[in-house]
Amino acid sequence: MMETYQEFLDRIFSFEKKEWTYGDGYFKGNPSISKKVNPDNTFRNFYGDTVVFELAASVKEKLAAFAAFLYQSAPDCFCERLVPQTFHVTLHDLSNSPVLQEVAKDVFENELKVIEQMQQVQKYEKTVLKMKSKAVFNMVDTSLVMGVYPAGGEDYRKMMELYDIFDEVKRLPYPFTPHITLAYYNVYGFDVQSARGLEKAVRQLNEQEIEFELSVEQLYYQKFVSMNDYINVINLARH
């Protein structure tokens, strides 16, 4: 059962806060970070597939400036930087694993199912969704992300109709929370002093909001081999 637009907003706004704290102890981060990040804080091989909206170059530039400010303000808090080219809004997760053999069959089957759904997507070919940013926030102790949301009820309805098309490929056990990942945390975590610097930087970033558009013409089925290496496989509106 789809959430109403208001229910969706109430849910995401309940945790996408402009201010928060990492607490007064050493921040360890989510153990799952080590699935994506090596002991030397470079990205490790991590395989899978996904459906994402590519962002306009001007939006990626803004996000790159946000990420650069975070790394400048609190360099010890993060692993290797994400390449700005990878910034995107995921419409629907599909599969992922640090072990290629565990995910190869799923990826193969997902691609075939995605191709079957393309006629459904093409009904939305000219659709443009207006989006707004809510806040840069801590996503399940793995990364700093920018929470984003459809600007109006009609944008939300169309986004969820598109989401449902890919829910036919793979149903997910958690609700949709649109966001843009800016940085993954240091695999070892960080100390209180670094945390205070990061909190201050995030507060400053959250003084500004951005508005942008997502175009269905820029909706792609992608495969990835790390969090810094995404490959566009199918343009879903034009194939």
Side-chain angles (χ1 to χ4, degrees):
M1 182 71 181
M2 188 174 102
E3 295 171 299
T4 66
Y5 182 51
Q6 192 57 52
E7 286 167 343
F8 165 79
L9 291 179
D10 289 346
R11 174 174 60 81
I12 66 166
F13 288 5
S14 73
F15 57 84
E16 295 185 12
K17 302 292 188 189
K18 291 190 185 294
E19 292 209 23
W20 85 96
T21 175
Y22 287 97
D24 293 322
Y26 192 92
F27 176 78
K28 286 201 167 132
N30 192 313
S32 70
I33 296 170
S34 61
K35 289 183 179 178
K36 298 177 177 178
V37 179
N38 285 310
D40 65 355
N41 270 312
T42 58
F43 285 110
R44 62 179 290 185
N45 290 351
F46 190 74
Y47 306 95
D49 57 348
T50 183
V51 176
V52 313
F53 287 99
E54 280 270 5
L55 298 167
S58 58
V59 180
K60 286 182 179 174
E61 273 175 38
K62 275 185 195 166
L63 297 168
F66 273 42
F69 180 68
L70 291 169
Y71 275 83
Q72 184 187 333
S73 305
D76 295 339
C77 294
F78 304 111
C79 71
E80 178 184 359
R81 287 191 194 212
L82 288 168
V83 180
Q85 191 53 37
T86 69
F87 293 142
H88 61 264
V89 174
T90 301
L91 175 65
H92 204 290
D93 293 321
L94 293 172
S95 60
N96 62 76
S97 172
V99 181
L100 182 58
Q101 289 83 341
E102 284 179 4
V103 84
K105 183 171 179 283
D106 286 345
V107 170
F108 177 76
E109 290 173 356
N110 289 342
E111 184 172 356
L112 297 178
K113 289 178 189 170
V114 164
I115 290 167
E116 284 173 12
Q117 298 291 52
M118 283 179 55
Q119 276 184 309
Q120 298 297 319
V121 180
Q122 283 160 4
K123 295 173 187 172
Y124 297 86
E125 185 179 359
K126 299 297 179 198
T127 299
V128 173
L129 305 172
K130 289 188 164 46
M131 304 291 291
K132 291 182 174 180
S133 68
K134 170 62 176 163
V136 175
F137 71 99
N138 171 27
M139 187 78 152
V140 297
D141 287 352
T142 63
S143 55
L144 263 185
V145 308
M146 177 184 283
V148 300
Y149 62 99
E154 188 63 13
D155 298 294
Y156 172 71
R157 184 182 64 76
K158 288 177 182 169
M159 192 170 213
M160 293 314 296
E161 285 173 3
L162 287 161
Y163 177 90
D164 286 343
I165 292 171
F166 297 100
D167 224 33
E168 296 297 313
V169 175
K170 178 166 187 164
R171 292 202 189 281
L172 297 174
Y174 47 84
F176 181 45
T177 302
H179 63 275
I180 301 165
T181 304
L182 298 174
Y184 284 92
Y185 294 131
N186 185 320
V187 73
Y188 301 107
F190 44 86
D191 62 24
V192 173
Q193 189 180 350
S194 296
R196 294 295 94 90
L198 182 53
E199 289 161 3
K200 183 180 173 192
V202 169
R203 277 198 300 275
Q204 286 179 253
L205 289 180
N206 281 336
E207 287 168 7
Q208 48 191 314
E209 292 178 5
I210 66 171
E211 297 186 11
F212 61 99
E213 293 182 339
L214 295 177
S215 164
V216 174
E217 290 184 345
Q218 290 290 94
L219 187 64
Y220 286 90
Y221 170 68
Q222 290 186 334
K223 296 177 184 176
F224 50 85
V225 294
S226 86
M227 292 296 91
N228 239 352
D229 294 287
Y230 289 80
I231 303 111
N232 286 337
V233 180
I234 304 169
N235 182 314
L236 292 163
R238 298 181 182 176
H239 201 61

